Amino acid sequence: MLNPIRQRKPAHGRVPGTDNSSVLTGSTGISTEKDLPSGNKDLNSYPVTNVKDFTNGKVSFSDTVLTDRASANTKAEAPAGSTDKESTWQDTAVETAQAAAGRISDTAHVVGDKISEAAHLAADKITSVLPASLTGKDAEQQQAQNNGPSAGDLAKGWGTEDGGMFLNEEMLLSRSTFPIPSERLVEMAKDVLRKGVHKCDKLSADFSFTAPFIGPLNRDDFAQTMETLSLDEVFPDMAPRIYHIRVDPLQHNRVWFTTRPIGTNTGYLKAKLPIPQAPTGKVVELPPQTSSLTFNDRGEVRGVHALPATHGT
């Protein structure tokens, strides 16, 4: 809104040379005696604002103020017989203020609508450039858009039985592209397990060991950890009972196996305990645990991954 500088009026409240009947100029536009109610020509008692100037936007509502008197603490009484005229003028000022407030409200609604429209337009443009996975479309819908079968449908094809319910392991292994045959890979895995993974000389430079609550460990850290535990001393009669050794039909360089070790605690458990744990003489039988050995094409073990042991009756 406009905020012009108001012309300063002399302290005595009169405008020199006008006798309050001539034109008074100021920040609020032009007010003349004809703009005042009939019978009251005292410009000092009324706002120095022409209502027409207010409504056509020349002045702001904040500029409609009463002209000061000579004393800031004293307000001159209105001329006799001007009470009704003053009330009429005040009503006009209230109506003008209400009209201005209405225009402000209408403008605010228009601006709000424009902002909302711009926000929706921007959101549409952002959505149009996002990947399908970020716009709530699942894989099936994406596959349909690409006019191709879904991942699940593809998995139900060759090498499966009963619509993808079971894998035909023999058929899948027959298509292996890994340079080491599956039968040979099983024997290599058995040799590693006989020696102890951490003791064999077939660990690759990028070897990694992972298990529940431990790892990943590189080749040196894995060997050091196993030597510190010395489980073969804690359970001298330990029988690992490894079975179900097989090559993964979907990952042809990976050999899975299951263990159910059993042994008697007749040795001291040293590990890193401040005081070695004395043997208990108890028989310990662990639940089934599935692990895997992953080989590279040179026949080296790249990784050992142990899954959590499963308890059951």
Side-chain angles (χ1 to χ4, degrees), residues 290-308:
T290 298
S291 304
S292 69
L293 298 174
T294 304
F295 292 84
N296 60 26
D297 55 7
R298 295 186 301 273
E300 298 173 329
V301 179
R302 293 189 61 247
V304 176
H305 179 65
L307 299 180

Side-chain angles (χ1 to χ4, degrees), residues 224-225 228-229 269-275:
Q224 182 179 358
T225 299
T228 300
L229 290 175
L269 176 62
K270 298 177 182 178
K272 291 186 178 181
L273 299 175
I275 300 176

Side-chain angles (χ1 to χ4, degrees), residues 118-132 134-135:
H120 284 295
L121 180 61
D124 291 340
K125 290 183 177 180
I126 292 174
T127 302
S128 65
V129 300
L130 289 177
L134 298 181
T135 59

Side-chain angles (χ1 to χ4, degrees), residues 11-56:
H12 54 71
R14 310 286 292 180
V15 179
T18 64
D19 195 27
N20 278 355
S21 62
S22 60
V23 176
L24 174 65
T25 61
S27 63
T28 58
I30 299 176
S31 294
T32 64
E33 64 181 13
K34 68 180 181 179
D35 294 320
L36 296 174
S38 176
N40 191 341
K41 308 302 181 181
D42 186 1
L43 292 174
N44 296 321
S45 301
Y46 298 98
V48 289
T49 300
N50 189 321
V51 174
K52 292 184 294 181
D53 292 337
F54 192 114
T55 57
N56 63 22

Side-chain angles (χ1 to χ4, degrees), residues 54-285:
F54 192 114
T55 57
N56 63 22
K58 290 184 179 180
V59 296
S60 65
F61 181 67
S62 61
D63 289 325
T64 59
V65 296
L66 292 177
T67 306
D68 295 336
R69 283 292 189 176
S71 172
N73 299 323
T74 305
K75 181 177 180 181
E77 296 181 359
S82 64
T83 302
D84 294 340
K85 302 298 183 180
E86 181 176 358
S87 176
T88 301
W89 180 262
Q90 291 175 348
D91 291 342
T92 301
V94 170
E95 293 175 358
T96 302
Q98 291 175 343
R103 289 195 296 272
I104 293 173
S105 178
D106 293 341
T107 301
H109 283 297
V110 171
V111 173
D113 292 341
K114 293 294 184 182
I115 293 176
S116 178
E117 180 180 353
H120 284 295
L121 180 61
D124 291 340
K125 290 183 177 180
I126 292 174
T127 302
S128 65
V129 300
L130 289 177
S133 60
L134 298 181
T135 59
K137 297 179 180 179
D138 58 24
E140 184 177 353
Q141 291 174 329
Q142 186 63 41
Q143 290 289 345
Q145 289 182 356
N146 295 337
N147 296 322
S150 67
D153 289 336
L154 289 173
K156 297 174 183 178
W158 185 87
T160 68
E161 300 173 358
D162 296 340
M165 179 65 68
F166 304 103
L167 294 181
N168 188 321
E169 299 181 35
E170 183 178 356
M171 183 181 296
L172 292 170
L173 290 173
S174 69
R175 296 293 184 92
S176 173
T177 58
F178 191 63
I180 304 175
S182 299
E183 296 79 5
R184 174 58 183 156
L185 210 56
V186 169
E187 294 302 321
M188 292 172 58
K190 288 182 178 180
D191 289 340
V192 171
L193 295 172
R194 290 190 187 99
K195 296 176 181 177
V197 178
H198 66 291
K199 294 179 181 179
C200 78
D201 57 355
K202 293 294 185 179
L203 302 185
S204 66
D206 59 347
F207 173 86
S208 176
F209 172 84
T210 57
F213 312 111
I214 186 172
L217 301 176
N218 60 32
R219 181 172 57 184
D220 295 336
D221 291 341
F222 172 65
Q224 182 179 358
T225 299
M226 297 302 294
E227 289 292 341
T228 300
L229 290 175
S230 299
L231 295 179
D232 54 346
E233 295 180 4
V234 180
F235 301 94
D237 64 342
M238 175 69 69
R241 297 195 297 183
I242 302 173
Y243 63 101
H244 199 194
I245 305 174
R246 72 278 187 194
V247 175
D248 191 322
L250 300 177
Q251 186 179 351
H252 301 149
N253 67 329
R254 191 171 196 174
V255 178
W256 290 96
F257 59 95
T258 304
T259 62
R260 293 195 66 170
I262 185 172
T264 307
N265 178 206
T266 58
Y268 281 83
L269 176 62
K270 298 177 182 178
K272 291 186 178 181
L273 299 175
I275 300 176
Q277 179 68 47
T280 62
K282 294 182 179 180
V283 175
V284 176
E285 182 176 12

